[in-house]
Amino acid sequence: MRLIVLDNPVQVAEWAAKYVMKRINDFKPGPHKYFVLGLPTGGTPLGMYKKLIEFVKDGKLSFEYVKTFNMDEYVNLDRKHPESYHYYMWNNFFKHIDIKPENVHILDGNAADLTTECENYERKILEAGGVELFIGGIGPDGHIAFNEPGSSLVSRTRLKTLAQDTLEANARFFDNDINKVPKQALTVGVATVMEAKEVLILITGASKAFALYKAVEEGVNHMWTVSAFQQHPNTFMICDEDATLELRVKTVKYFKGLTKLHNSLIGQ
Amino acid sequence: MTLKQFYNCRILRNHEIIDDHLWVRGGKIIDPEGVFFDEKVPADIRIDCHGLIIAPGFIDLQINGGYGVDFSYDIDNIENAVGIVAKKLIENGVTSFCPTVVTSPIPVYHSILPKIKRTAGGLHGATVLGVHVEGPFINLEKKGAHPPHCIREFSKGFQHVELAYGSLDNIRIVTLAPELINSAEIITELVKRNIIVSLGHSTANLIEGEEGCNHGATMITHLFNAMLGFHHRDPGLIGLLTSEKIAQPIYYGLISDGIHTHPSAVRMAYKANPDGVVLVTDAISALGLADGRYHLGQLDIEVKDNKAKIAGTDTLCGSADNLNRCVQKFQKFTKCSKVFALEAASYHPAKVLGIEKTKGTLDFGADADFIMLNDDLHVQSTWIAGEKVYPNFG
């Protein structure tokens, strides 16, 4: 696992976007060779999406031969609701780029049969050849996708009931009324993400500092599901200074010492 | 049906100019989200807008003619006259308009009103939304450029209105003076027939104006022109802008050409009641033509240095500026936002007519009548029902 420490969220967004661009372009995708990308939602990756849109507009990057799989979606929330992840992905990313609609995959939380929907999702990932690069964010409790604390670290895509903390945190997006917050979500499992060839986890802000400490300095623990990625062969955690507040100086210094090496990964 | 995606543009939506694409199918603006996630199809045609602003097409609620024709004079071939103007207006970004007929003899109304039909726009020109009849029920003292001998009263009530106009079917707006006897009854009757009543060519005091509004009038015709000047003890019709005694919002036509309304007066109206501004041209046959002599209904007029006056007098009689110029001048005069200037000639007039869900907006489901403009608000192209109608190189 690599930890990349940058100054601020703007740099995190830019670094991540440059990395995604380099990986896709180096892959040289084409009609018979699609690049498969896993995507998150939330506040942290927003800046990365903005940068990627810029790259597409400038002609430096194309999503014509990219397939995407999103991590999660609420259950029983109208797709047009501003908090739905369909809405998020469409408005913040897909409508601005040249991706083809048939190459986009987001779990359907309104499907008649949610179990089948999850099984099909896993199958579609397999059929696409597996995820080349999965990008994720984490919650303050260290959850990745909607794999809440206590989730199995070998979980697959499934229906998940949300933790009380998550409901309370989300109430602000639903008129501050916890009863309006969807109680369930469909989410890829920890194992689903673990199978990706590469994983990029974006972590910014002091509120995520404790989770980052748990993920990096403590052992693998299903109460902090992101910690599972310590055992992934190719994971980058990209964080800003604020997110390192709970880490030991030694840890931060070690990884900052590798800055030059890390920057070579994005061709700088 | 062809699915069109306009990209590399900024669009006016929800009262702001945002970076987005515009998707059109079947002549309507559609929500591409459903196309993407449900139909999973790409656009059939992608149109590069080169960074221009896309805004709703302009709507002119008061236009007497232009390009050499006058709707109140060229009565023998009125369909043709309306057609000529409709065709040329698209060059100024106007996608819909109300052909306006000034005070005229009764036979003229009976002859031309049935012939000016509401027609959908297209390559042949802008949409005709219905006629604006300005008069004949106006005040002689504020006749402006209307022929005095044709001015009438409705002393016998609504039958006088029907007598004058004949069929009301094609009428969308009536300008009348609220101080005339029976006006309350007449306004109520017109509004009942879904006709917009605009107050003007009038010496009404504020109370008379408020009564007109409380009977259903929702607009003031070319504010400041052909009405009493503002007086602080009786502000007259102008006082309606800030009246607290009328139930519904009031709109007012504003000729923002810098001639009919001084820039300072434009600013004053805008600051007093911004939401009511409706930019109109009040254009005459001289619109789009050089200086010279033309007609306005029964009168000869003379255009010199962009000012149109009744021949041999100093009476102003309508403008020779197009609506695109009026929008630019309005923004310059008031220093309002681009969005506001554009909406004052699109969304606001649509609201007057109650058609703001389909015209004057780029919301999903609306008619795909729009214009592309540069940052100086110069119209670069005009589109009706999703088809480019100007410039037409074909």
Side-chain angles (χ1 to χ4, degrees):
Chain A
M1 190 192 67
R2 286 173 152 145
L3 179 68
I4 296 166
V5 184
L6 300 165
D7 290 347
N8 53 50
V10 176
Q11 288 185 7
V12 170
E14 197 167 325
W15 201 98
K18 281 183 177 163
Y19 188 75
V20 172
M21 173 165 72
K22 188 161 189 316
R23 281 288 279 114
I24 294 176
N25 287 342
D26 288 352
F27 189 84
K28 297 191 171 58
H32 304 294
K33 189 186 172 203
Y34 279 79
F35 188 90
V36 182
L37 185 64
L39 294 174
T41 51
T44 314
L46 214 49
M48 174 191 74
Y49 287 133
K50 285 207 174 98
K51 272 279 159 200
L52 288 172
I53 292 165
E54 264 178 44
F55 297 156
V56 172
K57 282 191 174 157
D58 295 346
K60 294 186 213 159
L61 173 65
S62 167
F63 283 83
E64 193 178 359
Y65 299 114
V66 175
K67 291 186 181 181
T68 65
F69 286 87
N70 263 81
M71 291 193 135
D72 41 16
E73 176 60 289
Y74 289 111
V75 168
N76 274 338
L77 184 65
D78 184 21
R79 201 180 66 200
K80 291 191 191 306
H81 191 289
E83 288 306 316
S84 94
Y85 294 163
H86 279 82
Y87 183 98
Y88 176 102
M89 290 309 297
W90 168 252
N91 284 291
N92 293 315
F93 195 42
F94 292 146
K95 76 173 180 184
H96 301 288
I97 60 170
D98 60 344
I99 196 158
K100 291 180 192 156
E102 70 264 26
N103 293 332
V104 164
H105 305 86
I106 307 181
L107 284 154
D108 179 4
N110 295 300
D113 182 346
L114 295 174
T115 312
T116 311
E117 172 70 14
C118 293
E119 284 167 3
N120 286 343
Y121 205 66
E122 289 278 341
R123 186 174 46 76
K124 283 184 208 158
I125 293 175
L126 274 179
E127 282 169 6
V131 176
E132 190 70 24
L133 172 64
F134 223 126
I135 305 163
I138 62 165
D141 60 3
H143 71 242
I144 180 147
F146 267 129
N147 293 290
E148 300 281 43
S151 292
S152 160
L153 299 185
V154 292
S155 52
R156 315 295 317 186
T157 304
R158 70 212 181 288
L159 175 67
K160 190 80 196 162
T161 299
L162 304 183
Q164 186 65 20
D165 284 355
T166 308
L167 298 182
E168 280 168 18
N170 283 354
R172 64 197 157 106
F173 301 124
F174 293 88
D175 309 326
N176 284 317
D177 181 354
I178 197 159
N179 295 313
K180 288 186 185 164
V181 184
K183 308 269 179 301
Q184 294 183 309
L186 302 185
T187 178
V188 293
V190 178
T192 318
V193 185
M194 283 291 282
E195 276 170 13
K197 289 200 187 75
E198 225 172 9
V199 178
L200 207 61
I201 298 171
L202 314 181
I203 306 149
T204 59
S207 68
K208 306 281 173 75
F210 196 70
L212 184 63
Y213 147 70
K214 284 283 182 182
V216 176
E217 292 184 352
E218 297 278 290
V220 173
N221 186 332
H222 68 302
M223 296 310 287
W224 300 84
T225 50
V226 69
S227 63
F229 290 85
Q230 291 174 15
Q231 297 191 325
H232 187 278
N234 223 338
T235 286
F236 299 85
M237 303 227 178
I238 308 170
C239 67
D240 65 352
E241 283 285 346
D242 286 352
T244 65
L245 289 175
E246 298 283 351
L247 293 181
R248 281 186 286 184
V249 173
K250 180 165 96 171
T251 312
V252 176
K253 281 199 164 165
Y254 171 74
F255 284 110
K256 279 191 133 178
L258 298 169
T259 302
K260 212 171 158 189
L261 173 71
H262 292 157
N263 284 344
S264 70
L265 297 171
I266 54 169
Q268 283 187 347
Chain B
M1 281 187 288
T2 314
L3 180 62
K4 288 183 187 170
Q5 177 189 12
F6 296 83
Y7 70 100
N8 193 10
C9 50
R10 291 163 287 158
I11 70 175
L12 197 172
R13 183 173 282 158
N14 289 332
H15 315 296
E16 35 177 5
I17 292 175
I18 52 170
D19 272 324
D20 208 337
H21 300 172
L22 189 76
W23 291 69
V24 171
R25 182 162 59 188
K28 306 274 180 196
I29 292 161
I30 61 157
D31 183 355
E33 189 258 9
V35 171
F36 189 84
F37 286 126
D38 294 326
E39 299 174 40
K40 295 185 185 290
V41 292
D44 299 311
I45 301 174
R46 296 184 82 237
I47 295 146
D48 186 348
C49 305
H50 304 287
L52 293 173
I53 298 168
I54 299 187
F58 296 140
I59 301 171
D60 197 346
L61 298 185
Q62 188 169 10
I63 169 162
N64 304 293
Y67 310 97
V69 305
D70 173 3
F71 302 138
S72 312
Y73 182 81
D74 294 298
I75 52 180
D76 293 335
N77 202 353
I78 185 69
E79 292 104 325
N80 194 32
V82 173
I84 288 170
V85 173
K87 175 90 189 154
K88 295 296 280 184
L89 281 183
I90 56 179
E91 296 175 12
N92 311 324
V94 175
T95 52
S96 305
F97 69 113
C98 287
T100 304
V101 175
V102 298
T103 297
S104 301
I106 286 179
V108 169
Y109 288 122
H110 288 217
S111 148
I112 64 170
L113 288 182
K115 292 181 188 160
I116 310 180
K117 296 206 162 58
R118 293 173 200 205
T119 43
L123 264 178
H124 56 275
T127 298
V128 176
L129 294 168
V131 183
H132 178 172
V133 279
E134 190 186 359
F137 306 106
I138 59 173
N139 194 317
L140 192 60
E141 286 180 49
K142 288 292 173 189
K143 63 182 191 314
H146 292 226
H149 63 280
C150 298
I151 290 173
R152 312 182 69 83
E153 293 179 336
F154 27 56
S155 51
K156 283 195 182 151
F158 202 71
Q159 56 171 300
H160 261 165
V161 174
E162 289 175 312
L163 201 70
Y165 296 140
S167 164
L168 300 179
D169 288 351
N170 291 334
I171 296 179
R172 198 73 193 84
I173 305 175
V174 170
T175 289
L176 56 77
E179 67 274 24
L180 298 184
I181 291 165
N182 291 335
S183 70
E185 174 205 332
I186 303 297
I187 294 171
T188 309
E189 277 300 313
L190 288 169
V191 170
K192 213 185 272 176
R193 285 165 167 78
N194 201 22
I195 291 170
I196 305 300
V197 175
S198 187
L199 307 178
H201 286 278
S202 155
T203 60
N205 59 32
L206 179 58
I207 290 168
E208 287 164 332
E210 286 167 342
E211 274 181 16
C213 290
N214 288 329
H215 282 92
T218 49
M219 190 174 169
I220 309 168
T221 298
H222 46 48
L223 189 76
F224 300 119
N225 292 279
M227 62 187 62
L228 295 179
F230 180 85
H231 189 285
H232 56 290
R233 278 193 289 275
D234 183 356
L237 289 184
I238 298 166
L240 291 174
L241 266 57
T242 49
S243 168
E244 291 180 332
K245 291 190 177 148
I246 47 180
Q248 75 279 26
I250 184 86
Y251 296 94
Y252 53 96
L254 198 62
I255 311 171
S256 176
D257 63 353
I259 296 167
H260 283 76
T261 321
H262 191 278
S264 182
V266 169
R267 276 190 289 279
M268 216 177 268
Y270 165 71
K271 297 223 162 151
N273 186 339
D275 294 338
V277 181
V278 175
L279 298 182
V280 297
T281 57
D282 197 20
I284 52 160
S285 53
L287 167 66
L289 300 177
D291 288 357
R293 276 177 95 95
Y294 303 96
H295 292 287
L296 179 63
Q298 309 291 309
L299 305 171
D300 283 334
I301 56 170
E302 194 166 18
V303 176
K304 208 177 155 194
D305 306 328
N306 214 25
K307 284 183 190 163
K309 291 177 178 169
I310 297 173
T313 75
D314 253 345
T315 304
L316 285 168
C317 58
S319 144
D321 246 348
N322 69 53
L323 197 50
N324 190 195
R325 289 279 300 146
C326 288
V327 168
Q328 291 160 9
K329 285 184 180 176
F330 180 75
Q331 201 219 351
K332 194 174 137 219
F333 296 161
T334 62
K335 297 176 185 68
C336 70
S337 66
K338 286 183 187 117
V339 169
F340 194 92
L342 293 168
E343 290 197 329
S346 55
Y347 182 60
H348 292 189
K351 276 190 15 181
V352 171
L353 300 184
I355 55 172
E356 72 274 16
K357 295 260 185 277
T358 52
K359 301 220 183 271
T361 174
L362 299 180
D363 281 355
F364 303 138
D367 295 342
D369 294 355
F370 56 87
I371 51 181
M372 293 188 196
L373 311 103
N374 64 16
D375 279 274
D376 298 328
L377 301 185
H378 276 281
V379 172
Q380 306 295 307
S381 66
T382 304
W383 303 66
I384 294 180
E387 301 292 334
K388 192 191 213 178
V389 295
Y390 169 82
N392 178 10
F393 302 107

